[in-house]
């Protein structure tokens, strides 16, 4: 999959998980059916924070990319991600989210004063990326060991966003597992695994990208704006 598809899928997975968590945490909507749920449960700042974290996690495994073309794509993706994070921070600073519910609150409170845990988390994350780069594309950074190590590092360095970042990372591994190029999911075993469902680019990539963007749009309409979307007849509801 291309970088933009990994970002979109990572963002969609993180936002969907955030909406589900917000819904389950609210007893007033916990018993409502999925088809009838329309009350907003995320602020724009929270939505952007989750989307940005998921997109970042979706790009992390490809820090092992060494080819010039892929590196250029990765740099463009990270530039877009930085812009998205800046927008999320601006909305949070403007008070768009009620106190105590801002997933970026940890960043504001700890900016400029890294403690031992945060330093250890950052160093671990850098080490994971360095080992991934040294092992080559679809090597260590595309393994379950790297996923666990990255989550552990994020729990120390950025606990407020560790889960959406890890979900984005996991979505990257799941997508790459579907295409025809093996990845060392069970590192340190040398044997790569893949399901061979489709090539890493082409029509399948465009379809997955479109579905991810549609999921983000629906999540924003339903979770942020509180719009009740039409529910196709015959499909089960969550009750």
């Amino acid at each position: 999959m291309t970088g933009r598809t990994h970002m979109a899928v990572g963002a969609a997975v993180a936002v969907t998980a955030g909406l589900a968590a917000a819904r389950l945490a609210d007893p007033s909507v916990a018993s409502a059916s999925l088809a009838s749920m329309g009350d907003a449960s995320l602020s724009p700042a929270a939505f952007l924070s989750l989307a940005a974290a998921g997109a970042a996690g979706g790009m992390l495994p490809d820090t092992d990319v060494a080819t010039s073309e892929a590196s250029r794509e990765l740099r463009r993706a990270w530039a877009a991600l930085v812009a998205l994070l800046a927008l999320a921070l601006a909305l949070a600073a403007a008070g768009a989210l009620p106190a105590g519910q801002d997933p970026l609150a940890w960043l504001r409170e700890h900016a400029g004063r890294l403690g031992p845990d945060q330093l250890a988390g950052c160093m671990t994350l850098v080490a994971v990326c360095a080992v991934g780069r040294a092992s080559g594309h679809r090597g260590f950074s595309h393994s379950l060991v790297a996923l666990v190590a990255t989550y552990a590092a994020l729990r120390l360095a950025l606990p407020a966003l560790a889960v959406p970042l890890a979900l984005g990372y996991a979505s990257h591994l799941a997508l790459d597992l579907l295409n025809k190029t093996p990845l060392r999911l069970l590192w340190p075993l040398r044997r790569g695994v893949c399901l061979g469902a489709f090539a890493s680019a082409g029509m399948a990539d465009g379809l997955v990208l479109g579905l991810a963007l549609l999921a983000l749009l629906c999540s924003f309409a339903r979770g942020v704006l509180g719009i009740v979307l039409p529910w196709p007849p015959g499909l089960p509801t969550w009750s």
Side-chain angles (χ1 to χ4, degrees), residues 44-176:
F47 179 90
L48 284 173
S49 301
L50 289 169
M59 289 300 295
L60 273 177
D62 274 350
T63 52
D64 63 4
V65 171
T67 61
S68 58
E69 181 179 355
S71 295
R72 286 195 299 270
E73 182 179 350
L74 193 60
R75 285 194 293 270
R76 288 194 295 268
W78 280 114
L81 183 60
V82 168
L84 187 60
L85 282 169
L87 179 59
L89 284 168
L91 286 175
L97 194 65
Q101 299 182 21
D102 186 356
L104 291 179
W106 184 92
L107 287 176
R108 295 199 303 270
E109 294 172 2
H110 294 78
R113 57 183 186 92
L114 285 177
D117 288 348
Q118 290 76 37
L119 184 60
C122 290
M123 292 177 64
T124 303
L125 189 59
V126 170
V128 169
C129 293
V131 174
R133 188 64 179 264
S135 69
H137 191 38
R138 294 177 180 267
F140 171 76
S141 69
H142 285 66
S143 70
L144 295 177
V145 174
L147 172 60
V148 173
T150 298
Y151 176 71
L154 292 169
R155 286 288 297 175
L156 293 172
L158 200 62
L161 297 177
V163 171
L165 278 160
L167 287 173
Y169 199 114
S171 74
H172 185 118
L173 301 186
L175 283 179
D176 278 359

